[in-house]
Amino acid sequence: MADFNATFQKTLDILLEEKKYSSAKDILSTMAPEDVASVLQELDEKPAALLFRLLPKKIAAEAFVEMESDFQEKLIKGFSDKELTAILDEMYVNDAADIVEEMPANVVNRILSNVNAETRTAINQILQYPENSAGSIMTTEYVSLRLGTTVGQAINQIRRKGSDKKSFYTCYVTQNRKLLGRLSVKDLLLAKDDDLLIDDLMKTNVISVDTHTDQEEVVQIFSKYNFMALPVVDKEQNMVGIISFDDAIDVMEDETTEDIEIMAGMTPSDKTYLRTSAFSLFKHRVGWLLFLMVSATFTGMIITNFESALSQLVVLTAFIPMLMDTGGNSGSQSSVTIIRSLSLGELGFSDIGIIIWKEIRTAVLCGIALSAVCFAKVMLVDRLLLGNTDVSAMVALVVCLTMTVTVLVAKVVGCTLPLFAKKLGFDPAVMASPLITTIADTLSLLVYFGIAKFFLHL
């Protein structure tokens, strides 16, 4: 896709240089809005604004929604009020609300002053809900049918108003705003009689979410039931909007990206990599790096404390990196597995007993396998091939026993910390590789030196 964009960019540059704007418009009009947004953002501001104005209103509005907020702001500043109103009129309410949320105050005021009162009320309604809640990502544009409506009347209503709705494949039956049932366009089209009441076709076991439901839970519901849309109700069970499948996919992508960045020891960013400055990357990364660097002081203190023991048998120092790395890797495996299961809703804090018991059994098997290979490696490679006579069978036993205990401790810590983080209201992804590795390093050293002092009498 990147190669395609690069090739197309060159073609577009040539057309602009030769002032063949009509040809450029024709090409852009055949492209998906997402690709149009990508292409325009690579152009300078003036030619991008020129081409944007030439696009059909619907394509322009859809492409505008896909653009980065800083580029949207530049375009808005160059729009006349009439142009801005035309673009906003083609947008769905939740998309307009997302744009308003990203803009500075002066741009927000201008946007709100160029939409009709009904749209302004809907935007303000969405913005009042907590960030990352179902209410903040819903749209108020959906197909609502009344009890007593016939199949023929319902189809005619969809024909008249469906083009203005975010999703019309699923329709919702309401009475005095109360959600009573749902049915699909397929149900209507396959009905045997146009005079049949939708009351007899609708499904009454409607799954819905509250406006304050966390968006991660919303994504889990979409994943479980394969919905095209999900109704949103308020505290009085009045239907206030829907969340469409494409919005759920966007949330899923954002949540996954955020988890990956947190698990890698970075502060999440809402910008793409190429549009993030080096200084912004520095700000997102340096905090965790500083924390992990300072936390490594504990491992240094442990080594210093056992310095006299190490001086008696220096060969023990050679196995420290291997044991620390194994402990960190073991803990990371468990933490990542549990974090992923938590995000999918497969596990909860009530499962902690089952989880710990399963990880203990896994750790014992892993520890035995690793220790067996480690013993052979220490005796064959370190003692025989490298000729290190200080590596005795007892030293190998200490290293292997440490390996087993370290794997066990690291896996138990790795599986429990995300559960406690979730229980306390933190993002479990915080308890991922960097932090678990640091904790496992500290514990592996304590175990190593404790076992060494006991068996080798240091």
Side-chain angles (χ1 to χ4, degrees), residues 386-431:
L386 298 180
N388 193 337
T389 56
D390 288 334
V391 179
S392 62
M394 186 57 72
V395 169
L397 178 64
V398 167
V399 173
C400 293
L401 187 57
T402 301
M403 179 82 69
T404 302
V405 177
T406 296
V407 170
L408 176 62
V409 172
K411 284 195 175 295
V412 171
V413 171
C415 75
T416 53
L417 284 183
L419 291 168
F420 281 109
K422 182 76 171 179
K423 181 70 173 178
L424 295 173
F426 297 107
D427 191 331
V430 174
M431 301 297 178

Side-chain angles (χ1 to χ4, degrees), residues 349-363:
F349 190 80
S350 59
D351 300 309
I352 188 169
I354 298 172
I355 294 168
I356 291 176
W357 176 230
K358 180 171 288 189
E359 288 296 327
I360 287 175
R361 287 177 291 166
T362 304

Side-chain angles (χ1 to χ4, degrees), residues 47-96:
L50 173 62
L51 286 176
F52 186 84
R53 288 185 170 92
L54 293 175
L55 290 172
K57 290 180 182 179
K58 187 170 183 59
I59 295 177
E62 292 177 353
F64 188 82
V65 169
E66 301 298 330
M67 294 175 179
E68 298 286 340
S69 58
D70 55 349
F71 195 79
Q72 289 173 336
E73 184 180 348
K74 290 177 182 178
L75 287 179
I76 289 174
K77 288 180 177 178
F79 287 161
S80 66
D81 287 346
K82 184 178 180 181
E83 289 172 327
L84 181 57
T85 300
I87 293 297
L88 293 171
D89 285 345
E90 293 292 333
M91 285 186 194
Y92 295 113
V93 172
N94 63 324
D95 291 330

Side-chain angles (χ1 to χ4, degrees), residues 11 19 27 61 80 224 264 321 405:
T11 304
K19 297 185 178 180
I27 295 175
S80 66
K224 181 177 181 179
V405 177

Side-chain angles (χ1 to χ4, degrees), residues 128-171:
Q128 74 178 351
Y129 295 113
E131 187 179 3
N132 299 329
S133 67
S136 69
I137 59 173
M138 72 176 187
T139 182
T140 56
E141 297 153 319
Y142 59 92
V143 176
S144 176
L145 302 174
R146 294 181 181 180
L147 278 178
T149 302
T150 65
V151 168
Q153 290 170 336
I155 292 175
N156 287 332
Q157 182 177 332
I158 293 171
R159 284 173 178 161
R160 291 196 313 270
K161 301 180 179 179
S163 61
D164 296 327
K165 307 303 180 184
K166 185 71 180 279
S167 174
F168 59 82
Y169 300 106
T170 303
C171 308

